[in-house]
Amino acid sequence: MLSAVLGLFSQDLAVDLGTSNTRIYQRGVGVVCREPTLVAVHTDRRGRRKVLAVGEEARAMEGRTPRDIEAVRPVRDGQIHDYEVAEALLLHLVRRIHGRNAWVSPKMVIAIPHNATDMERRALRESCETAGARDVHLVPRPLAAALGADLPVERPSGHMVVDLGGGATEVSVLSMAGVVASRVVPGGSSGMDRSLIEFLRGERQLLVGTPTAESLKEAVATALPPKRPKVHRVSGRCLRRGVPRSAEVSGDEAYRAIRGHVEAVGNAIRSVLDQSPPELATDIVDHGVVLTGGGSQLVGLPAALREATGLAVVRSERPASAVVLGAGRILEEMDLLRAVAC
Ligand SMILES: Nc1ncnc2c1ncn2[C@@H]1O[C@H](COP(=O)(O)OP(=O)(O)OP(=O)(O)O)[C@@H](O)[C@H]1O
Ligand SMILES: [Mg+2]
């Protein structure tokens, strides 16, 4: 009786712990959380760390903290590098979702990089358990992305998914619910932000932070030369005089600053296709490539990759949520879970 009642208000969660954002899907409900993967941590004189804020609240503090408080990003380049902080973030978000019912520990499906080591798997499993999960299932991130993009990955036919996240771009070929080939291009969409920061420093003698570069990218950057370039004004610190100053950046300049990243993704697609067994390569030529991840929202990206690879390239319907939606599907469908858990 008790378990039937609890089943009605399911505590089961699927998690995508990304470099930029953490998303959580609740069974029977949908995506219930999207927060920056960021934690404000206070370190006392004895080196003990205490969490002050997570997610959006921590973002408001980024770049504005005193010396003993640090805004920590526990995931870098798509890989967890600070498990203690990642665990604190998960614990906080899970408690927020479950509210007063926090005593009921959930089943948890969590997406992990395809190339995660045994040690990383163990550490992540432990972090989920500490966050309150009773039953932890690790699933390869490319598979979750493909399922979230509605690709029929269980079938014996090849599909290619390119997940362009904040920290890394993962190009993967999938068949029969498994990852057949995969290649990671480091940097992801935040690599474009860094190139825009470099451009402003070199060409405008202007120092700007990551949030400014990110808004510039989202406002005017394109993956192909823009036909009618937009202009965006950014503010920063003048490197010559040290005073606040603003400058205009055109879409054409932004395109030139980031185009190397787009080329790198095109090259990775070609090389993964080259390494794929011939039957699967033929399937991919037939089915095309699906883009997921927040970074795939860059204007003109499908067209640019089509031009670079000769393949049909489309963006999935909800690209930024594809991984968590796919992990959610795995949570909802036991058969899928049995097929893909690793
Ligand atoms: N309209 C847009 N144009 C270009 N980039 C965008 C746009 N919207 C969001 N992004 C970028 O998407 C990235 C975040 O994507 P996402 O949330 O998928 O990353 P993540 O899953 O946290 O990272 P990863 O998968 O690499 O660990 C950010 O770098 C953000 O700047
Ligand atoms: Mg991601």
Side-chain angles (χ1 to χ4, degrees):
M1 173 64 188
L2 181 63
S3 62
V5 172
L6 293 177
L8 207 58
F9 304 101
S10 176
Q11 305 278 314
D12 295 347
L13 302 174
V15 179
D16 172 17
L17 189 59
T19 310
S20 306
N21 299 295
T22 295
R23 297 179 170 89
I24 303 183
Y25 175 104
Q26 185 172 7
R27 186 178 193 159
V29 180
V31 181
V32 289
C33 160
R34 198 221 82 173
E35 290 277 345
T37 308
L38 192 63
V39 181
V41 179
H42 174 260
T43 308
D44 69 14
R45 266 181 271 147
R46 289 194 190 154
R48 281 178 307 208
R49 303 207 288 176
K50 189 174 159 230
V51 171
L52 294 185
V54 309
E56 289 297 349
E57 229 180 285
R59 176 142 71 184
M61 299 177 183
E62 203 179 14
R64 299 185 173 93
T65 52
R67 251 198 308 168
D68 52 352
I69 299 174
E70 197 192 350
V72 180
R73 290 196 173 271
V75 183
R76 263 191 218 152
D77 298 335
Q79 315 266 6
I80 301 177
H81 79 107
D82 189 332
Y83 281 91
E84 195 187 343
V85 169
E87 193 174 294
L89 174 77
L90 277 179
L91 181 65
H92 183 98
L93 297 177
V94 168
R95 279 202 183 137
R96 203 171 67 189
I97 293 166
H98 287 153
R100 287 193 300 132
N101 299 328
W103 57 275
V104 186
S105 49
K107 171 155 66 176
M108 196 182 273
V109 167
I110 185 158
I112 52 156
H114 165 61
N115 58 0
T117 62
D118 285 346
M119 210 180 77
E120 285 165 343
R121 284 165 209 261
R122 252 196 320 275
L124 183 58
R125 194 179 282 282
E126 277 169 23
S127 293
C128 294
E129 284 163 2
T130 310
R134 95 180 101 85
D135 191 12
V136 180
H137 301 269
L138 309 179
V139 298
R141 201 160 47 193
L143 264 173
L147 284 165
D150 284 330
L151 294 181
V153 289
E154 305 100 300
R155 294 211 198 121
S157 87
H159 290 276
M160 182 182 275
V161 58
V162 177
D163 185 38
L164 214 167
T169 303
E170 205 167 5
V171 178
S172 315
V173 172
L174 313 157
S175 176
M176 297 178 71
V179 181
V180 182
S182 169
R183 184 157 162 212
V184 175
V185 188
S189 190
S190 60
M192 298 183 188
D193 303 339
R194 283 194 287 277
S195 295
L196 288 166
I197 291 173
E198 275 310 305
F199 163 80
L200 286 163
R201 189 200 293 267
E203 305 285 317
R204 296 287 199 284
Q205 283 72 52
L206 194 68
L207 187 65
V208 302
T210 305
T212 302
E214 201 172 356
S215 351
L216 173 63
K217 173 184 69 184
E218 291 175 15
V220 298
T222 50
L224 284 170
K227 294 212 174 77
R228 278 181 299 279
K230 295 183 194 161
V231 172
H232 189 72
R233 182 167 282 280
V234 293
S235 301
R237 183 149 51 86
C238 176
L239 282 168
R240 288 208 207 95
R241 291 181 293 131
V243 295
R245 176 163 68 76
S246 69
E248 280 192 344
V249 180
S250 77
D252 203 45
E253 290 170 313
Y255 156 71
R256 278 188 270 122
I258 63 152
R259 70 175 165 192
H261 297 272
V262 177
E263 278 164 22
V265 176
N267 292 340
I269 293 176
R270 280 206 302 268
S271 108
V272 172
L273 189 65
D274 275 352
Q275 289 158 18
S276 300
E279 300 301 324
L280 293 180
T282 312
D283 290 344
I284 292 160
V285 172
D286 289 347
H287 299 148
V289 176
V290 174
L291 306 181
T292 62
S296 74
Q297 295 170 105
L298 179 71
V299 173
L301 188 64
L305 294 176
R306 231 173 277 147
E307 217 167 76
T309 62
L311 297 166
V313 182
V314 293
R315 191 186 280 128
S316 77
E317 209 171 299
R318 294 174 63 189
S321 305
V323 169
V324 78
L325 289 172
R329 257 189 74 189
I330 295 168
L331 183 69
E332 304 271 3
E333 294 173 37
M334 274 314 284
D335 288 350
L336 260 183
L337 181 58
R338 271 192 288 273
V340 305
C342 57

